[in-house]
Amino acid sequence: MGIDSTHRRFSWKGALARHSSALIFLFLFACFSLLSGRFLRIGNVVNILEQSSLLAVVAIGITFPIITGGIDLSVGSLVALCGALAAGLVTGHAVPVPLAIAMVLALGALLGGINGFIIVAGRFQPFVVTLATMAITRGATLVYTQGRPISGIPASFTFLGDRVAGIPVSLLILLIILILFQGLLRFTPFGAHLYALGGNEETARLAGISVHWIKIGAYSISGGMAALGGIILTARLWSAQPQAAVGLELQTIAAAVLGGVSLAGGSGGLAGTLLGALLMGTLANGLNLLGISSYLQQVIIGAIFIAAVMLDLWTKERHGESSQGALS
Amino acid sequence: MKRTVLCILVTALMGGLVLPAAAAGRGEKEADSTAPVLGLSVSTLNNMFFVTLRDGAQEAARELGVQLLVVDSQDDPTREASNIQDLLQRGVSALLINPTDSDAIAPSVHRANQSGVPVFTIDRGAHGGTVVSHIASDNVAGGSLAAEYLLQKIGGTGEIAELQGIPGTSAARDRGAGFNSVVSGSAHVRLVAAQTANFNRTEGLDVFQNILQAQTNLKGVFAHNDEMILGAIQAAEAAGRARDMIFVGFDAVEDALTAVADGKLHATVAQKPAEMGRLGVITALNYLAGKPVESSIPVDLQLVTAENVDHF
């Protein structure tokens, strides 16, 4: 049920079972390093981290609803809406940058919380609810921006997408988020309840866990992280794009699944999701450096995705861990 | 045991996929290490226009004996920023960029400027950073060309509609401006519907279906690109009204030329995407060779109708 329900003695097989995506990551890293002289350079590794950080931040957020056994399809649209609102606030309304960021983060968490509220209040399927809010949020973005990009973002905002002393600011943000939410998952009742709820909602309810609030909290985190993603994206592109992050929700789900987070809920963790996001970033970067045609890239990425999921499933079965989650 | 075999198979599968592809890429790279390597970032290779643009650039690169690395943004500015970063990491001598968006490309152009790599924009410009040359069609003139033809075909009187491209893109803005400048100068022609279908065929079909419902006296329609006009023709055919209308598109992609030859589409404005790609490569090489290049390189446009479609 929990993330580490199987720790007895350290075993290589156990480590492999829990981190098969790490194995694939190392394998790809080795391949790319051998094949391209430019891959394993510090500049390129920093590039990969910078390129993956937006996906990783949003994917860490979406991991929470997924652990509850739900899904949040609205994150891509929310990235676009929050990115546009942040841009609008700092340009059109001249709101100070820290205040604008706080407002947008709060709004993202609120909109995410509304997702959660509709899901628990109406006992709806998260897929359906967030599919609807995905459309509503994208539409709201188009209405707000009138379909036009918002540019003229001040440097005090764009520095969030820039580098300080050679280190991407977005990477620092990612690290802070990771530590913060890892702590929340591991050391608070909220984290324990989240896994309990994802493992078996009825049992969790009978155990006296307020499953409704836990769920609303999970979707709030997802919304808040999508808002943060929007802020990073706007800073990185020096402008807000109404059609930004279309399909990002699928990439974040892919990152979580690659990292061993079960779509059935109850298992997986943020380190896995982070690894999944890095794996996707590394693939895109490495294939580009090798000059592989973009058509073929999509085939390779899809095939590696399937291979990774199969490897994850088999190593888990082999290790005797319950594979119920991954199968159902 | 069985699972061990499966694991090995999976690993072999991954290796089997990455290694040959990589080897192919590598062979290309090592072909000639002294010639300049050009990078081309295309907004999307899921649209024939940009595929033709890439083909034109590749052909020119082959003729001139330089390597051209092509990356596909898939219409996603985030991916575009990463792709361009990767091209710079590979050490290209010059960047040819066909941006997904003129605003969103600015930081990437800036980054290339910082790395000392000259940037050339194709089709869409950049609102920031230093660009050596911009290679593009004269879209305003093309919009006017389309409007003049449409007005002449409907006899200078009646109601017409306009399907607009992605709002905010310079192509949509300029084609619309050229079209509207001619239409507004005509006393007897009324533009009764102007909506966006985002340069997309499916949206063109849906949006025009709605316009057909609302407007019963339409005599003609102009779309900012061929994808949308082809969608509109499908909608009009389904409604049984295609014969009563004049259709004018823009871009002269393969499907549109077929439609012109079949008499379904009356005219399209031919941009020359292959020529854009070719001029991009040639301009970049001229610049790298120290020759002077113009900051704006216009590419001709031409009206394609049933009379001259065979030449395209």
Side-chain angles (χ1 to χ4, degrees):
Chain A
M1 190 165 66
I3 6 174
D4 272 70
S5 55
T6 52
H7 49 181
R8 290 171 298 249
R9 274 174 297 118
F10 179 82
S11 79
W12 282 105
K13 279 181 189 168
L16 176 65
R18 281 195 299 278
H19 301 296
S20 62
S21 52
L23 195 73
I24 292 174
F25 185 71
L26 290 175
F27 172 78
L28 284 175
F29 220 80
C31 276
F32 288 139
S33 306
L34 284 173
L35 292 167
S36 168
R38 293 179 182 273
F39 180 77
L40 201 61
R41 288 187 183 178
I42 189 77
N44 192 52
V45 173
V46 174
N47 278 354
I48 294 177
L49 291 170
E50 183 177 27
Q51 292 168 8
S52 315
S53 55
L54 166 72
L55 177 64
V57 164
V58 183
I60 282 175
I62 204 179
T63 304
F64 285 80
I66 294 179
I67 290 175
T68 70
I71 199 84
D72 187 351
L73 297 178
S74 67
V75 291
S77 302
L78 210 48
V79 165
L81 178 66
C82 292
L85 286 172
L89 286 174
V90 295
T91 56
H93 305 278
V95 175
V97 170
L99 179 63
I101 290 173
M103 285 166 72
V104 168
L105 285 178
L107 182 81
L110 177 70
L111 291 177
I114 291 174
N115 269 337
F117 178 77
I118 297 172
I119 289 164
V120 299
R123 292 175 182 275
F124 294 119
Q125 289 191 346
F127 187 96
V128 178
V129 172
T130 57
L131 188 65
T133 51
M134 170 173 100
I136 293 170
T137 316
R138 179 67 63 183
T141 313
L142 288 167
V143 170
Y144 178 71
T145 60
Q146 288 298 301
R148 277 159 224 239
I150 301 172
S151 53
I153 315 281
S156 55
F157 190 96
T158 56
F159 101 94
L160 291 169
D162 213 336
R163 294 182 181 186
V164 171
I167 300 166
V169 178
S170 55
L171 180 63
L172 299 176
I173 295 175
L174 169 63
L175 288 178
I176 294 169
I177 292 306
L178 187 69
I179 293 167
L180 211 66
F181 284 116
Q182 187 70 4
L184 185 73
L185 267 186
R186 294 291 183 122
F187 303 116
T188 67
F190 174 80
H193 292 170
L194 197 71
Y195 282 105
L197 160 62
N200 188 327
E201 186 166 346
E202 201 46 44
T203 315
R205 198 195 312 275
L206 292 174
I209 294 172
S210 54
V211 292
H212 288 178
W213 285 110
I214 300 287
K215 274 194 188 176
I216 291 173
Y219 284 90
S220 288
I221 291 173
S222 179
M225 287 308 95
L228 184 59
I231 290 165
I232 294 173
L233 184 57
T234 295
R236 186 154 194 233
L237 298 178
W238 295 1
S239 64
Q241 300 290 324
Q243 293 292 354
V246 170
L248 184 73
E249 58 281 345
L250 298 180
Q251 287 183 49
T252 56
I253 295 168
V257 170
L258 271 178
V261 180
S262 162
L263 286 181
S267 73
L270 302 185
T273 300
L274 177 69
L275 202 60
L278 287 176
L279 189 61
M280 291 175 69
T282 305
L283 255 178
N285 171 277
L287 294 174
N288 268 347
L289 288 191
L290 292 178
I292 291 172
S293 113
S294 64
Y295 295 150
L296 195 57
Q297 285 195 15
Q298 300 184 37
V299 176
I300 295 174
I301 289 171
I304 287 181
F305 184 81
I306 292 212
V309 172
M310 285 197 294
L311 190 65
D312 182 51
L313 192 62
W314 285 327
T315 48
K316 271 183 184 152
E317 271 182 2
R318 192 181 156 80
H319 189 60
E321 240 179 55
S322 163
S323 58
Q324 195 187 2
L327 280 171
S328 58
Chain B
M1 185 60 208
K2 189 176 134 208
R3 295 201 181 92
T4 314
V5 173
L6 284 172
C7 285
I8 293 168
L9 275 178
V10 168
T11 316
L13 171 72
M14 293 192 318
L17 273 164
V18 176
L19 295 174
R26 197 180 194 203
E28 235 173 86
K29 190 178 75 178
E30 287 175 348
D32 187 352
S33 52
T34 52
V37 179
L38 304 181
L40 169 65
S41 169
V42 185
S43 59
T44 172
L45 289 178
N46 193 15
N47 176 329
M48 261 193 263
F49 180 79
F50 298 109
V51 174
T52 314
L53 189 154
R54 178 203 59 183
D55 292 346
Q58 271 177 341
E59 203 163 311
R62 226 186 338 267
E63 278 168 18
L64 298 166
V66 292
Q67 195 195 341
L68 182 73
L69 300 169
V70 184
V71 291
D72 176 8
S73 310
Q74 295 173 27
D75 269 337
D76 176 357
T78 322
R79 194 184 302 272
E80 176 174 63
S82 298
N83 281 345
I84 290 174
Q85 213 170 23
D86 293 343
L87 284 178
L88 292 174
Q89 178 69 28
R90 273 213 61 179
V92 293
S93 328
L95 261 181
L96 305 172
I97 306 179
N98 160 236
T100 56
D101 179 88
S102 302
D103 284 312
I105 199 64
S108 291
V109 175
H110 193 72
R111 194 173 285 138
N113 291 157
Q114 281 178 333
S115 318
V117 175
V119 176
F120 302 81
T121 49
I122 306 180
D123 189 38
R124 295 177 191 136
H127 294 164
T130 310
V131 172
V132 178
S133 303
H134 178 53
I135 297 127
S137 302
D138 190 347
N139 276 312
V140 179
S144 307
L145 204 63
E148 279 156 14
Y149 176 83
L150 181 59
L151 264 51
Q152 178 219 322
K153 286 299 260 191
I154 63 169
T157 172
E159 297 183 349
I160 57 169
E162 178 188 9
L163 289 177
Q164 300 167 330
I166 297 173
T169 56
S170 56
R173 209 166 32 234
D174 294 347
R175 290 169 191 184
F179 177 77
N180 281 294
S181 70
V182 172
V183 171
S184 61
S186 164
H188 306 293
V189 174
R190 258 182 6 110
L191 184 64
V192 290
Q195 286 183 35
T196 180
N198 290 318
F199 285 137
N200 178 298
R201 193 180 301 199
T202 319
E203 283 188 51
L205 197 159
D206 293 343
V207 170
F208 198 62
Q209 222 161 27
N210 297 338
I211 293 178
L212 282 172
Q213 282 293 320
Q215 307 295 342
T216 50
N217 294 320
L218 272 187
K219 289 174 74 177
V221 54
F222 166 62
H224 291 185
N225 80 343
D226 283 334
E227 292 293 326
M228 295 190 292
I229 203 73
L230 291 170
I233 291 172
Q234 270 182 302
E237 278 176 349
R241 289 168 62 185
R243 299 214 164 278
D244 315 330
M245 270 179 234
I246 304 296
F247 297 94
V248 181
F250 207 118
D251 285 346
V253 298
E254 209 66 42
D255 282 4
L257 294 176
T258 314
V260 170
D262 293 348
K264 290 179 172 177
L265 177 62
H266 299 85
T268 177
V269 179
Q271 286 202 75
K272 297 176 175 166
E275 180 71 4
M276 283 185 197
R278 202 179 68 86
L279 281 177
V281 168
I282 291 172
T283 309
L285 288 176
N286 279 343
Y287 180 80
L288 289 174
K291 295 178 194 162
V293 296
E294 294 289 326
S295 65
S296 172
I297 298 175
V299 184
D300 299 342
L301 288 165
Q302 195 176 353
L303 200 66
V304 185
T305 60
E307 283 98 64
N308 65 357
V309 67
D310 294 337
H311 303 301
F312 285 87

